[in-house]
Amino acid sequence: MNADPYPRQQQPRADSALAVEDRLYSALAIVRVVVTINMVALNAYRRDSFSYPTLALAVVLALVVWTGVAIWLYGRRSTRTPALLVADLLIAVAAIGVTPWLKTESFNATLPGFWVMGALLAWAIHWHWKGGLVAAIALSLADLLPREVVDQGNYGNVFLVLIGGPIVGYMCESLQRMARERDAAEHAAAAAEERTRLARAVHDGVLQVLAMVQRQGAASGGQWAELGRLAGEQERGLRSLIRQQDTVPARSGGWVDLAGALEAMATAHPVRVEVATPGGAVLVDEHVGTETVAAVKACLDNVLAHVGADASAWILAEAAHDAVTVSVRDDGPGMAPGRVDEAAAEGRLGVASSIRGRIEGLGGTATVQSGEWGTEWELSVPDRRI
């Protein structure tokens, strides 16, 4: 059993994020068509500014052909590779670079013009704000370096490219992240619903029978007591399986399922523990969940140390509107009144720090009651996710 109740999972790019990327490239295809038409129209209008009009026409036609090829290649995931993105950007830079040769050294507008937006936006979609920034810098340098004079219009175009690329990239990354978080939330909700349905079915049948065998066996003694003990172990194991079926999807966005974590921790503890939790997930802040589970484990460790491995304990988790309460009870002989405060005064801070210190550090409360029936800790922590 993993000691960490919240194992960190590798998160590959989800299908939802790739679906968002597909839609963005589909939108980019429309942009490519528009800027290509604009490029052809402007160069036809400015044909008298070219020193080599025939070569300029060949470059324009080559860019039109590349537009069609790029739309087709970007439309398929298998061909949407880093090599394609690099080639796309190099073609855009080259189209800017040949402008002084096709026109004159005192040129104003570059031959591709806004056509280079295709490569810029492709890098922003695939590599997010970093890709948008790199592509923007490359295109800006290719535009500015050959110029003898940089006027206000040139500066304005470069400025828009430099801020537009990273901003578009950041927005694309945000859309993909939201798609992944939506999928995680839907998965967690579906898993919780299925767990609730399964828990009802199991509780109405198998768990009730196992609990009855446990009680009757303990009361009968002898071999029946051993059978009751085995039934109790099977009941706890079955409850743990029900809870663990969605342990991973319950952990999302800094929130964890406290109920599932308590089940996992109790199953691994040497003391016989029965856990009762609400039917659905109990989502709390990750730090709150970690500290609460550690405090509950400290309670069980005290049971093991002062009562023994044959002791039994019960954990009850209840979720209110703005807090979660976890009760830990054992069947030991109890302890003298004020014993916890007395131990703290003597400098033995085990209970004070491992239980009360953790819970009070979360803004909650930890109270203890004890008698001949045993000892019960009640831990109340705030910050439950609704």
Side-chain angles (χ1 to χ4, degrees), residues 86-125:
V86 172
D88 197 10
L89 182 60
L90 289 177
I91 290 174
V93 170
I96 297 174
V98 300
T99 299
W101 179 57
L102 295 175
K103 292 188 175 182
T104 63
E105 294 182 357
S106 59
F107 73 96
N108 185 20
T110 61
L111 184 148
F114 292 113
W115 182 87
V116 300
M117 289 176 56
L120 173 67
L121 296 179
W123 276 58
I125 292 172

Side-chain angles (χ1 to χ4, degrees), residues 192-193 195-196 199 243 246 257 259-260 277-283 319 384:
E193 182 178 354
R195 186 180 64 194
T196 301
R243 181 63 64 188
D246 64 341
D257 180 9
T277 61
V282 180
L283 297 182
R384 174 173 180 258

Side-chain angles (χ1 to χ4, degrees), residues 14 57 74 158 233 291 326:
L57 176 61
Y74 279 111
V158 169
E233 291 180 356
E291 291 295 285
V326 180

Side-chain angles (χ1 to χ4, degrees), residues 272-294:
R272 294 194 300 270
V273 185
E274 294 186 21
V275 182
T277 61
V282 180
L283 297 182
V284 297
D285 176 82
E286 183 177 359
H287 176 65
V288 172
T290 301
E291 291 295 285
T292 302
V293 171

Side-chain angles (χ1 to χ4, degrees), residues 6 12 15 24 35 51 65 82 97 114 152 187 222 263 270 338 340 348 352:
Y6 317 118
D15 289 342
L24 291 172
V35 296
S51 300
V65 172
F114 292 113
Q152 186 174 355
H187 192 180
E263 289 277 6
V340 174
R348 290 176 292 182

